[in-house]
């Protein structure tokens, strides 16, 4: 190794967060930050690391794409029979992280995950590019396959089958909504004195705002 990992560091110098001045609704603050990440051309700003746990409490994480914010939650789509789908079926507690490196910003979510209705999943599935819809049919996500050629073969079979008709949403594919009860906004600051503002949902549905040590 030609470099020392311990020596890799950046001193952040960004405008901070003032808990007395920010919006008291974390969803509005998230929307503001998200729009700024788009304006700054962050690569895949809707990419979020989703962490789930299995029945034994063993965690796993992967990147998924945020596709909507509705009904108090963050929406993503996947196969119900994937590893994350199976884990969410047994334990619907999950966490997610957004990292917008250009702005030195991070948003952490913790909460429970619920399935979207068939109507919501159908609506999004039918809006996807044709290739993406065929890909959802071809892939039995997270399951072992012999090689990449097998996947291409399944894709081509689906393309031939539905070349003159609508592509149906697979029964094992659909949407989920992560409904957070904790949302933390992290802003990188100079000398590692980062801003961390935590929103915690309380019994009356409002949000308690606290500052955390970096």
């Amino acid at each position: 190794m030609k470099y020392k990992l311990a020596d890799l560091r950046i001193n952040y110098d960004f405008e901070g967060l003032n808990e007395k001045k920010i919006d008291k609704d974390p969803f509005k603050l998230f929307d503001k930050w998200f729009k700024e990440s788009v304006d700054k051309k962050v690569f895949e700003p809707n990419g979020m690391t989703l962490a789930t746990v299995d029945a034994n409490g063993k965690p796993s994480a992967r990147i998924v794409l945020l596709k909507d914010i509705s009904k108090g939650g963050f929406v993503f789509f996947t196969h119900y029979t994937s590893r994350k789908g199976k884990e969410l079926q047994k334990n619907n507690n999950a966490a997610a992280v957004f990292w917008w490196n250009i702005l030195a910003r991070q948003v952490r979510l913790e909460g429970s995950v619920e399935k979207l209705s068939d109507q919501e999943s159908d609506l999004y599935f039918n809006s996807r590019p044709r290739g993406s819809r065929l890909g959802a049919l071809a892939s039995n996500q997270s399951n072992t396959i012999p090689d990449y050629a097998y996947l291409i073969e399944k894709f081509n079979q689906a393309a031939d089958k539905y070349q003159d008709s609508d592509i149906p949403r697979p029964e094992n594919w659909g949407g989920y909504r992560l409904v957070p009860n904790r949302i933390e906004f992290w802003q990188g600051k100079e000398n590692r004195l980062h801003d961390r503002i935590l929103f915690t949902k309380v019994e009356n549905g409002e949000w308690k705002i606290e500052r955390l040590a970096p």
Side-chain angles (χ1 to χ4, degrees), residues 112-124:
S112 59
V113 175
E114 60 190 26
K115 268 188 179 181
L116 267 62
S117 67
D118 288 342
Q119 292 77 12
E120 290 174 296
S121 292
D122 286 340
L123 184 64
Y124 174 70

Side-chain angles (χ1 to χ4, degrees), residues 162-210:
Y162 296 105
Q163 61 180 331
D164 297 319
S165 60
D166 291 335
I167 302 169
R169 176 175 64 88
E171 292 184 358
N172 69 339
W173 189 98
Y176 292 93
R177 180 180 291 108
L178 171 55
V179 181
N181 50 46
R182 288 169 60 98
I183 305 178
E184 181 190 321
F185 294 83
W186 181 98
Q187 174 67 70
K189 294 293 295 296
E190 190 176 10
N191 298 320
R192 294 298 188 262
L193 299 178
H194 312 306
D195 282 325
R196 294 179 62 189
I197 303 299
L198 174 65
F199 289 77
T200 306
K201 184 173 285 188
V202 293
E203 292 182 358
N204 60 6
E206 295 182 355
W207 294 91
K208 178 175 68 173
I209 303 175
E210 299 172 293

Side-chain angles (χ1 to χ4, degrees), residues 54-85:
D54 66 15
N56 297 316
K58 182 180 179 181
S60 63
R62 76 290 289 160
I63 304 293
V64 300
L65 296 179
L66 174 70
K67 289 299 180 180
D68 192 20
I69 300 176
S70 64
K71 300 179 182 178
F74 295 74
V75 174
F76 62 95
F77 294 83
T78 190
H79 286 77
Y80 300 142
T81 51
S82 65
R83 179 176 178 180
K84 54 186 167 302

Side-chain angles (χ1 to χ4, degrees), residues 40-165:
K40 291 293 185 181
K41 302 187 183 307
V42 172
F43 179 74
E44 297 276 32
N46 59 330
M48 64 179 186
T49 301
L50 175 72
T52 56
V53 293
D54 66 15
N56 297 316
K58 182 180 179 181
S60 63
R62 76 290 289 160
I63 304 293
V64 300
L65 296 179
L66 174 70
K67 289 299 180 180
D68 192 20
I69 300 176
S70 64
K71 300 179 182 178
F74 295 74
V75 174
F76 62 95
F77 294 83
T78 190
H79 286 77
Y80 300 142
T81 51
S82 65
R83 179 176 178 180
K84 54 186 167 302
K86 292 176 180 177
E87 290 178 348
L88 288 170
Q89 184 177 8
K90 294 182 179 298
N91 187 335
N92 72 334
N93 292 303
V97 180
F98 293 87
W99 168 240
W100 299 313
N101 62 330
I102 295 174
L103 297 166
R105 286 176 174 174
Q106 174 181 247
V107 179
R108 299 173 59 198
L109 314 172
E110 297 177 30
S112 59
V113 175
E114 60 190 26
K115 268 188 179 181
L116 267 62
S117 67
D118 288 342
Q119 292 77 12
E120 290 174 296
S121 292
D122 286 340
L123 184 64
Y124 174 70
F125 183 80
N126 293 329
S127 74
R128 304 179 83 202
R130 178 177 176 80
S132 296
R133 284 177 282 157
L134 290 171
L137 282 170
S139 174
N140 190 9
Q141 192 177 84
S142 297
N143 286 271
T144 301
I145 59 175
D147 50 35
Y148 193 73
Y150 173 88
L151 187 62
I152 296 300
E153 180 183 359
K154 290 295 184 181
F155 182 92
N156 290 335
Q157 288 175 355
D160 290 342
K161 181 177 181 179
Y162 296 105
Q163 61 180 331
D164 297 319
S165 60

